[in-house]
Protein backbone atom coordinates (compact mmCIF):
# COMPACT_ATOMS: atom_id res chain seq x y z
CA UNK A 1 0.00 0.00 0.00
CA UNK A 2 1.66 3.28 -1.02
CA UNK A 3 2.26 5.67 1.84
CA UNK A 4 0.35 8.51 0.15
CA UNK A 5 -2.95 6.68 -0.05
CA UNK A 6 -3.00 5.62 3.61
CA UNK A 7 -2.24 9.23 4.54
CA UNK A 8 -5.13 10.37 2.34
CA UNK A 9 -7.41 7.83 4.03
CA UNK A 10 -6.45 9.24 7.41
CA UNK A 11 -7.21 12.78 6.20
CA UNK A 12 -10.57 11.56 4.89
CA UNK A 13 -11.37 9.98 8.28
CA UNK A 14 -10.42 13.21 10.03
CA UNK A 15 -12.45 15.36 7.61
CA UNK A 16 -15.40 13.09 8.35
CA UNK A 17 -14.86 13.60 12.10
CA UNK A 18 -15.12 17.36 11.53
CA UNK A 19 -18.24 17.22 9.33
CA UNK A 20 -19.90 14.72 11.71
CA UNK A 21 -19.32 17.07 14.64
CA UNK A 22 -20.62 20.08 12.67
CA UNK A 23 -23.70 18.08 11.61
CA UNK A 24 -24.39 17.08 15.22
CA UNK A 25 -23.69 20.35 17.05
CA UNK A 26 -24.05 23.08 14.42
CA UNK A 27 -21.62 25.91 13.61
CA UNK A 28 -18.55 26.19 15.86
CA UNK A 29 -15.12 27.80 16.03
CA UNK A 30 -11.90 26.05 15.01
CA UNK A 31 -10.98 25.91 18.72
CA UNK A 32 -14.25 24.04 19.43
CA UNK A 33 -13.41 21.64 16.60
CA UNK A 34 -9.98 20.98 18.15
CA UNK A 35 -11.65 20.20 21.50
CA UNK A 36 -14.45 18.13 19.95
CA UNK A 37 -12.33 15.96 17.64
CA UNK A 38 -9.14 15.66 19.69
CA UNK A 39 -7.15 16.58 16.56
CA UNK A 40 -4.32 19.12 16.68
CA UNK A 41 -4.91 22.80 15.92
CA UNK A 42 -2.71 22.57 12.81
CA UNK A 43 -4.57 19.50 11.49
CA UNK A 44 -8.00 21.07 12.07
CA UNK A 45 -6.92 24.27 10.34
CA UNK A 46 -5.58 22.36 7.32
CA UNK A 47 -8.63 20.10 7.01
CA UNK A 48 -11.07 23.00 7.36
CA UNK A 49 -9.13 24.64 4.52
CA UNK A 50 -9.74 21.51 2.39
CA UNK A 51 -13.44 21.48 3.27
CA UNK A 52 -13.89 25.16 2.41
CA UNK A 53 -12.11 24.61 -0.92
CA UNK A 54 -14.38 21.63 -1.74
CA UNK A 55 -17.51 23.58 -0.81
CA UNK A 56 -18.50 21.34 2.11
CA UNK A 57 -18.18 24.05 4.77
CA UNK A 58 -18.28 27.86 4.91
CA UNK A 59 -17.09 30.46 7.39
CA UNK A 60 -19.84 32.40 9.15
CA UNK A 61 -20.49 34.61 12.16
CA UNK A 62 -24.01 33.25 12.51
CA UNK A 63 -24.31 30.62 15.23
CA UNK A 64 -27.96 30.01 14.45
CA UNK A 65 -28.73 31.56 17.84
CA UNK A 66 -28.07 35.02 19.35
CA UNK A 67 -24.42 35.87 20.08
CA UNK A 68 -23.99 36.14 23.86
CA UNK A 69 -20.64 37.92 23.91
CA UNK A 70 -20.54 41.55 24.96
CA UNK A 71 -18.57 43.96 22.86
CA UNK A 72 -16.30 43.16 19.97
CA UNK A 73 -16.75 41.16 16.83
CA UNK A 74 -18.54 37.82 17.03
CA UNK A 75 -16.12 34.90 16.58
CA UNK A 76 -15.61 33.39 13.15
CA UNK A 77 -17.33 30.00 12.98
CA UNK A 78 -17.22 27.08 10.61
CA UNK A 79 -20.55 25.69 9.34
CA UNK A 80 -21.65 22.97 6.95
CA UNK A 81 -23.10 24.27 3.72
CA UNK A 82 -26.69 23.30 3.06
CA UNK A 83 -26.84 21.94 -0.48
CA UNK A 84 -29.89 22.59 -2.64
CA UNK A 85 -32.67 20.06 -3.08
CA UNK A 86 -34.34 17.52 -0.82
CA UNK A 87 -34.14 13.79 -0.14
CA UNK A 88 -36.77 11.28 0.87
CA UNK A 89 -36.67 8.38 3.30
CA UNK A 90 -38.94 5.40 2.71
CA UNK A 91 -39.48 2.83 5.47
CA UNK A 92 -41.13 -0.37 4.33
CA UNK A 93 -42.10 -2.21 7.54
CA UNK A 94 -44.15 -5.39 7.87
CA UNK A 95 -47.46 -3.52 8.23
CA UNK A 96 -46.73 0.00 6.99
CA UNK A 97 -44.95 2.34 4.61
CA UNK A 98 -43.62 5.55 6.16
CA UNK A 99 -42.23 8.36 3.98
CA UNK A 100 -40.35 11.48 5.10
CA UNK A 101 -39.13 14.30 2.88
CA UNK A 102 -36.20 16.23 4.37
CA UNK A 103 -33.64 18.88 3.57
CA UNK A 104 -30.01 18.01 2.86
CA UNK A 105 -29.13 18.23 6.56
CA UNK A 106 -31.84 15.74 7.48
CA UNK A 107 -34.38 18.25 8.80
CA UNK A 108 -37.84 16.71 8.15
CA UNK A 109 -40.19 18.84 6.00
CA UNK A 110 -43.17 16.45 5.85
CA UNK A 111 -43.91 12.87 6.82
CA UNK A 112 -46.73 10.35 6.39
CA UNK A 113 -47.41 6.75 7.40
CA UNK A 114 -49.85 4.42 5.59
CA UNK A 115 -50.83 1.10 7.15
CA UNK A 116 -50.66 -1.57 4.45
CA UNK A 117 -49.71 -5.24 4.30
CA UNK A 118 -46.41 -5.11 2.40
CA UNK A 119 -45.39 -8.78 2.61
CA UNK A 120 -47.45 -10.47 -0.15
CA UNK A 121 -46.68 -8.17 -3.11
CA UNK A 122 -43.41 -6.23 -3.41
CA UNK A 123 -44.26 -4.56 -6.73
CA UNK A 124 -47.60 -3.19 -5.49
CA UNK A 125 -45.92 -1.95 -2.29
CA UNK A 126 -43.26 -0.10 -4.31
CA UNK A 127 -45.98 1.47 -6.50
CA UNK A 128 -47.63 2.68 -3.31
CA UNK A 129 -44.31 3.96 -1.87
CA UNK A 130 -43.51 5.90 -5.08
CA UNK A 131 -46.96 7.52 -5.00
CA UNK A 132 -46.43 8.47 -1.34
CA UNK A 133 -43.03 10.09 -2.11
CA UNK A 134 -44.74 12.33 -4.72
CA UNK A 135 -47.65 13.17 -2.41
CA UNK A 136 -45.48 13.90 0.65
CA UNK A 137 -43.17 16.10 -1.51
CA UNK A 138 -46.29 17.97 -2.66
CA UNK A 139 -47.42 18.38 0.95
CA UNK A 140 -43.98 19.84 1.79
CA UNK A 141 -44.33 22.29 -1.12
CA UNK A 142 -41.32 20.76 -2.89
CA UNK A 143 -41.26 20.75 -6.71
CA UNK A 144 -40.80 17.22 -8.14
CA UNK A 145 -37.39 17.97 -9.67
CA UNK A 146 -35.94 19.07 -6.29
CA UNK A 147 -35.79 15.44 -5.16
CA UNK A 148 -32.13 14.33 -5.30
CA UNK A 149 -32.14 10.82 -3.82
CA UNK A 150 -34.12 8.35 -1.78
CA UNK A 151 -32.97 6.17 1.12
CA UNK A 152 -35.03 3.07 1.70
CA UNK A 153 -35.49 0.67 4.59
CA UNK A 154 -36.33 -2.93 3.74
CA UNK A 155 -37.45 -5.21 6.57
CA UNK A 156 -34.98 -8.01 5.81
CA UNK A 157 -31.25 -8.49 5.18
CA UNK A 158 -30.19 -7.12 1.81
CA UNK A 159 -27.39 -8.77 -0.16
CA UNK A 160 -25.03 -6.00 -1.31
CA UNK A 161 -23.83 -8.01 -4.32
CA UNK A 162 -27.22 -8.92 -5.79
CA UNK A 163 -29.16 -5.99 -4.22
CA UNK A 164 -31.87 -8.56 -3.46
CA UNK A 165 -33.36 -9.51 -0.13
CA UNK A 166 -32.13 -12.53 1.80
CA UNK A 167 -33.89 -15.81 1.16
CA UNK A 168 -36.94 -17.15 2.92
CA UNK A 169 -38.04 -13.91 4.51
CA UNK A 170 -40.41 -12.05 2.21
CA UNK A 171 -41.71 -14.41 -0.48
CA UNK A 172 -43.64 -11.64 -2.28
CA UNK A 173 -40.35 -9.76 -2.83
CA UNK A 174 -38.20 -12.67 -3.95
CA UNK A 175 -37.43 -11.64 -7.53
CA UNK A 176 -37.24 -7.90 -6.81
CA UNK A 177 -34.30 -5.61 -6.36
CA UNK A 178 -36.11 -3.00 -4.19
CA UNK A 179 -33.76 -0.06 -4.82
CA UNK A 180 -33.69 -0.61 -8.59
CA UNK A 181 -37.48 -0.95 -8.73
CA UNK A 182 -38.09 2.25 -6.75
CA UNK A 183 -35.48 4.05 -8.86
CA UNK A 184 -37.42 3.05 -11.97
CA UNK A 185 -40.59 4.52 -10.50
CA UNK A 186 -39.06 7.81 -9.26
CA UNK A 187 -36.14 8.51 -11.60
CA UNK A 188 -33.64 9.43 -8.84
CA UNK A 189 -30.92 7.33 -7.15
CA UNK A 190 -32.33 5.00 -4.49
CA UNK A 191 -30.17 3.42 -1.78
CA UNK A 192 -31.56 0.56 0.31
CA UNK A 193 -30.47 -0.97 3.59
CA UNK A 194 -32.00 -3.01 6.40
CA UNK A 195 -33.80 -1.69 9.49
CA UNK A 196 -31.00 -2.37 11.99
CA UNK A 197 -28.35 -0.57 9.91
CA UNK A 198 -30.63 2.42 9.32
CA UNK A 199 -31.66 2.47 12.99
CA UNK A 200 -27.96 2.74 13.84
CA UNK A 201 -27.44 5.62 11.38
CA UNK A 202 -30.50 7.42 12.79
CA UNK A 203 -29.54 7.13 16.45
CA UNK A 204 -25.94 8.18 15.72
CA UNK A 205 -26.99 11.15 13.58
CA UNK A 206 -30.05 12.41 15.44
CA UNK A 207 -30.76 10.31 18.54
CA UNK A 208 -29.36 8.55 21.59
CA UNK A 209 -25.81 8.06 20.25
CA UNK A 210 -25.42 11.49 18.66
CA UNK A 211 -21.75 12.40 18.34
CA UNK A 212 -20.43 8.90 19.15
CA UNK A 213 -18.32 7.06 16.59
CA UNK A 214 -18.32 3.46 17.93
CA UNK A 215 -21.86 2.30 18.46
CA UNK A 216 -23.91 -0.89 18.44
CA UNK A 217 -27.63 -0.45 17.77
CA UNK A 218 -29.67 -3.52 18.62
CA UNK A 219 -33.23 -3.75 17.33
CA UNK A 220 -35.47 -5.98 19.44
CA UNK A 221 -38.83 -6.45 17.73
CA UNK A 222 -40.38 -9.16 15.55
CA UNK A 223 -36.77 -10.04 14.73
CA UNK A 224 -33.43 -9.33 16.40
CA UNK A 225 -30.63 -7.58 14.55
CA UNK A 226 -27.73 -5.23 15.17
CA UNK A 227 -26.36 -2.25 13.25
CA UNK A 228 -22.68 -1.57 13.89
CA UNK A 229 -21.01 1.84 13.52
CA UNK A 230 -17.20 1.81 13.74
CA UNK A 231 -15.08 4.94 13.48
CA UNK A 232 -18.22 6.89 12.53
CA UNK A 233 -19.09 4.62 9.60
CA UNK A 234 -21.63 1.86 9.27
CA UNK A 235 -19.94 -1.54 9.09
CA UNK A 236 -21.93 -3.64 6.64
CA UNK A 237 -19.54 -6.56 6.04
CA UNK A 238 -18.72 -8.26 2.74
CA UNK A 239 -22.30 -8.88 1.66
CA UNK A 240 -24.12 -6.30 3.79
CA UNK A 241 -25.43 -8.57 6.51
CA UNK A 242 -23.01 -7.85 9.39
CA UNK A 243 -24.72 -7.75 12.78
CA UNK A 244 -27.03 -10.75 12.40
CA UNK A 245 -27.11 -11.09 16.17
CA UNK A 246 -30.46 -12.89 16.10
CA UNK A 247 -28.81 -15.93 14.53
CA UNK A 248 -26.17 -16.54 17.17
CA UNK A 249 -26.84 -20.09 18.33
CA UNK A 250 -27.79 -20.30 22.01
CA UNK A 251 -29.49 -23.73 22.23
CA UNK A 252 -27.75 -26.59 20.42
CA UNK A 253 -30.96 -28.57 19.72
CA UNK A 254 -33.43 -25.67 20.06
CA UNK A 255 -36.40 -24.56 17.97
CA UNK A 256 -35.88 -24.39 14.19
CA UNK A 257 -35.30 -20.78 13.09
CA UNK A 258 -36.61 -19.06 9.93
CA UNK A 259 -32.95 -19.03 8.75
CA UNK A 260 -32.85 -22.84 8.77
CA UNK A 261 -30.55 -23.31 11.77
CA UNK A 262 -31.67 -24.45 15.20
CA UNK A 263 -31.67 -22.65 18.54
CA UNK A 264 -30.91 -19.15 17.21
CA UNK A 265 -31.18 -16.35 19.81
CA UNK A 266 -34.09 -14.86 17.83
CA UNK A 267 -36.20 -17.99 18.44
CA UNK A 268 -36.00 -17.20 22.18
CA UNK A 269 -36.46 -13.42 22.23
CA UNK A 270 -38.53 -12.27 19.22
CA UNK A 271 -41.66 -10.29 20.14
CA UNK A 272 -43.95 -13.09 18.95
CA UNK A 273 -42.06 -15.67 21.03
CA UNK A 274 -42.24 -13.50 24.17
CA UNK A 275 -45.96 -12.84 23.64
CA UNK A 276 -46.64 -16.58 23.23
CA UNK A 277 -44.71 -17.32 26.44
CA UNK A 278 -46.77 -14.72 28.32
CA UNK A 279 -50.17 -15.24 26.70
CA UNK A 280 -51.43 -18.21 28.78
CA UNK A 281 -51.27 -16.10 31.97
CA UNK A 282 -53.50 -13.28 30.63
CA UNK A 283 -57.09 -12.87 29.44
CA UNK A 284 -57.55 -11.34 26.01
CA UNK A 285 -54.93 -10.98 23.32
CA UNK A 286 -51.57 -9.75 24.57
CA UNK A 287 -49.86 -7.24 22.25
CA UNK A 288 -46.38 -5.76 22.75
CA UNK A 289 -48.01 -2.41 23.63
CA UNK A 290 -50.22 -4.04 26.26
CA UNK A 291 -47.29 -6.00 27.71
CA UNK A 292 -45.22 -2.78 27.98
CA UNK A 293 -48.13 -1.10 29.81
CA UNK A 294 -48.39 -4.08 32.18
CA UNK A 295 -44.65 -3.87 32.81
CA UNK A 296 -45.01 -0.21 33.75
CA UNK A 297 -47.77 -1.16 36.21
CA UNK A 298 -45.35 -3.56 37.89
CA UNK A 299 -46.61 -6.85 36.44
CA UNK A 300 -44.17 -9.51 37.72
CA UNK A 301 -44.68 -12.00 34.88
CA UNK A 302 -43.98 -9.48 32.11
CA UNK A 303 -40.97 -8.12 33.98
CA UNK A 304 -39.56 -11.61 34.43
CA UNK A 305 -40.00 -12.63 30.79
CA UNK A 306 -38.60 -9.34 29.41
CA UNK A 307 -35.71 -9.54 31.86
CA UNK A 308 -34.86 -13.13 30.84
CA UNK A 309 -34.90 -12.02 27.17
CA UNK A 310 -32.56 -9.14 28.03
CA UNK A 311 -30.13 -11.51 29.77
CA UNK A 312 -29.98 -13.76 26.70
CA UNK A 313 -29.47 -10.80 24.35
CA UNK A 314 -26.88 -9.24 26.69
CA UNK A 315 -24.94 -12.51 26.85
CA UNK A 316 -24.51 -12.46 23.06
CA UNK A 317 -23.81 -8.71 23.03
CA UNK A 318 -21.07 -9.13 25.66
CA UNK A 319 -19.02 -11.15 23.13
CA UNK A 320 -19.63 -8.53 20.43
CA UNK A 321 -18.58 -5.77 22.88
CA UNK A 322 -15.37 -7.66 23.69
CA UNK A 323 -14.57 -7.73 19.98
CA UNK A 324 -15.53 -4.13 19.16
CA UNK A 325 -15.16 -2.08 22.39
CA UNK A 326 -18.05 0.28 21.58
CA UNK A 327 -18.89 3.46 23.50
CA UNK A 328 -22.68 3.22 23.28
CA UNK A 329 -25.17 0.38 22.96
CA UNK A 330 -28.56 1.68 21.82
CA UNK A 331 -31.52 -0.62 22.47
CA UNK A 332 -34.22 0.08 19.89
CA UNK A 333 -37.22 -1.65 18.30
CA UNK A 334 -40.63 -2.07 19.92
CA UNK A 335 -39.18 -3.99 22.89
CA UNK A 336 -36.31 -1.50 23.31
CA UNK A 337 -38.83 0.56 25.31
CA UNK A 338 -38.81 -2.08 28.10
CA UNK A 339 -36.71 -1.00 31.13
CA UNK A 340 -36.57 -4.64 32.40
CA UNK A 341 -35.08 -5.77 29.09
CA UNK A 342 -32.52 -2.95 28.99
CA UNK A 343 -31.50 -3.40 32.63
CA UNK A 344 -30.97 -7.12 32.01
CA UNK A 345 -28.83 -6.41 28.92
CA UNK A 346 -26.73 -4.11 31.10
CA UNK A 347 -26.35 -6.80 33.81
CA UNK A 348 -25.36 -9.49 31.31
CA UNK A 349 -22.78 -7.24 29.63
CA UNK A 350 -21.35 -6.35 33.06
CA UNK A 351 -21.18 -10.03 33.96
CA UNK A 352 -19.82 -11.51 30.74
CA UNK A 353 -17.81 -8.80 28.97
CA UNK A 354 -14.23 -7.96 29.91
CA UNK A 355 -14.58 -5.49 32.86
CA UNK A 356 -12.87 -2.51 31.21
CA UNK A 357 -14.98 -3.04 28.07
CA UNK A 358 -18.16 -3.11 30.15
CA UNK A 359 -17.09 -0.03 32.13
CA UNK A 360 -16.51 1.97 28.93
CA UNK A 361 -19.97 1.14 27.57
CA UNK A 362 -23.19 3.13 28.00
CA UNK A 363 -26.44 1.19 27.47
CA UNK A 364 -29.27 3.54 26.47
CA UNK A 365 -32.79 3.39 25.04
CA UNK A 366 -33.29 4.47 21.44
CA UNK A 367 -34.74 7.98 21.19
CA UNK A 368 -36.36 7.79 17.77
CA UNK A 369 -38.72 4.86 18.37
CA UNK A 370 -40.76 3.88 15.32
CA UNK A 371 -39.27 6.74 13.30
CA UNK A 372 -35.70 5.35 13.51
CA UNK A 373 -35.76 3.54 10.12
CA UNK A 374 -37.15 6.51 8.18
CA UNK A 375 -34.72 8.95 9.85
CA UNK A 376 -31.89 6.53 9.00
CA UNK A 377 -33.14 6.26 5.41
CA UNK A 378 -32.97 10.07 5.10
CA UNK A 379 -29.41 9.99 6.55
CA UNK A 380 -28.41 7.28 4.06
CA UNK A 381 -29.77 9.29 1.11
CA UNK A 382 -27.94 12.40 2.30
CA UNK A 383 -24.69 10.50 2.91
CA UNK A 384 -24.73 8.84 -0.52
CA UNK A 385 -25.91 11.64 -2.75
CA UNK A 386 -22.86 13.81 -2.01
CA UNK A 387 -22.81 17.57 -2.24
ZN1 LIG B 1 -31.57 -18.20 12.69
Amino acid sequence: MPHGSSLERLRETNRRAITTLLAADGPMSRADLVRGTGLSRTTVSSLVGDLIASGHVVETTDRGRPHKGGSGRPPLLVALTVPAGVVAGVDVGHGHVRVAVADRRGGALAERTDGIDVDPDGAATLDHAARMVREVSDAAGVPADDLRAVGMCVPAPLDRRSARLGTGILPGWRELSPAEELHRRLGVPVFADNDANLGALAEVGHGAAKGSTDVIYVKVASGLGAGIVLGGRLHRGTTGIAGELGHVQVVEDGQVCRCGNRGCLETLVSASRLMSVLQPAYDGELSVERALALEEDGDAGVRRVFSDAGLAIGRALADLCNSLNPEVLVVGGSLGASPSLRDAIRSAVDRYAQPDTAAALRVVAGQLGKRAPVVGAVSLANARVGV
Side-chain angles (χ1 to χ4, degrees), residues 9-367:
R9 267 209 309 280
L10 179 64
R11 285 181 74 85
E12 173 58 33
T13 303
N14 290 338
R15 275 196 295 269
R16 196 181 293 274
I18 289 174
T19 54
T20 302
L21 190 60
L22 290 172
D25 291 354
M28 62 180 76
S29 68
R30 285 171 173 78
D32 291 335
L33 284 170
V34 168
R35 273 190 291 277
T37 59
L39 298 169
S40 75
R41 187 174 293 271
T42 320
T43 304
V44 164
S45 175
S46 161
L47 295 171
V48 166
D50 288 358
L51 289 164
I52 290 173
S54 63
H56 288 77
V57 308
V58 289
E59 287 183 319
T60 174
T61 52
D62 180 10
R63 204 176 265 279
R65 50 185 184 271
H67 175 54
K68 280 204 290 259
S71 59
R73 282 190 307 170
L76 197 57
L77 306 174
V78 176
L80 288 176
T81 48
V82 183
V86 299
V87 298
V90 174
D91 166 28
V92 180
H94 280 295
H96 69 263
V97 176
R98 179 176 281 119
V99 168
V101 170
D103 68 25
R104 298 288 305 283
R105 291 274 161 264
L109 303 172
E111 190 169 318
R112 192 178 105 199
T113 306
D114 287 2
I116 60 168
D117 185 6
V118 309
D119 291 3
D121 190 341
T125 302
L126 292 167
D127 285 339
H128 188 99
R131 204 160 48 242
M132 279 179 79
V133 170
R134 292 190 200 98
E135 289 168 7
V136 175
S137 299
D138 265 0
V142 174
D145 59 1
D146 271 11
L147 185 66
R148 296 289 192 272
V150 175
M152 179 185 193
C153 179
V154 289
L158 190 72
D159 189 312
R160 286 175 94 181
R161 294 171 302 190
S162 67
R164 291 178 205 282
L165 298 181
T167 51
I169 292 176
L170 287 177
W173 293 66
R174 192 161 284 156
E175 295 307 313
L176 292 178
S177 165
E180 197 182 303
E181 290 286 326
L182 194 59
H183 163 69
R184 213 167 51 210
R185 287 162 173 78
L186 289 169
V188 297
V190 178
F191 307 97
D193 211 326
N194 69 57
D195 48 2
N197 283 349
L198 293 175
L201 279 185
E203 294 289 354
V204 166
H206 303 275
K210 197 166 162 178
S212 296
T213 54
D214 294 279
V215 176
I216 298 173
Y217 171 86
V218 58
K219 179 173 180 178
V220 193
S222 55
L224 178 72
I228 299 167
V229 173
L230 298 176
R233 302 189 69 167
L234 198 57
H235 175 78
R236 292 186 172 87
T238 303
T239 62
I241 57 172
E244 282 293 317
L245 189 75
H247 303 282
V248 170
Q249 194 192 48
V250 291
V251 188
E252 177 73 31
D253 56 354
Q255 196 178 321
V256 173
C257 178
R258 61 192 170 119
C259 77
N261 287 336
R262 292 187 69 177
C264 293
L265 178 56
E266 189 175 288
T267 65
L268 291 184
V269 303
S270 68
S272 60
R273 168 63 186 245
L274 298 186
M275 292 310 109
S276 71
V277 168
L278 285 165
Q279 184 65 68
Y282 301 86
D283 293 328
E285 198 189 328
L286 200 61
S287 62
V288 170
E289 290 71 26
R290 193 178 151 210
L292 287 168
L294 285 164
E295 181 192 18
E296 208 177 329
D297 290 345
D299 185 284
V302 173
R303 286 189 172 182
R304 172 64 193 266
V305 167
F306 283 2
S307 175
D308 287 349
L311 288 174
I313 296 166
R315 176 69 192 85
L317 281 168
D319 293 346
L320 194 58
C321 289
N322 277 344
S323 299
L324 301 178
N325 184 204
E327 181 188 356
V328 187
L329 170 64
V330 182
V331 188
S334 55
L335 289 164
S338 160
S340 312
L341 185 123
R342 278 200 312 277
D343 290 349
I345 288 178
R346 174 82 252 180
S347 309
V349 169
D350 286 342
R351 178 163 184 172
Y352 295 109
Q354 192 266 359
D356 292 335
T357 303
L361 181 77
R362 285 191 290 126
V363 178
V364 298
Q367 283 178 0

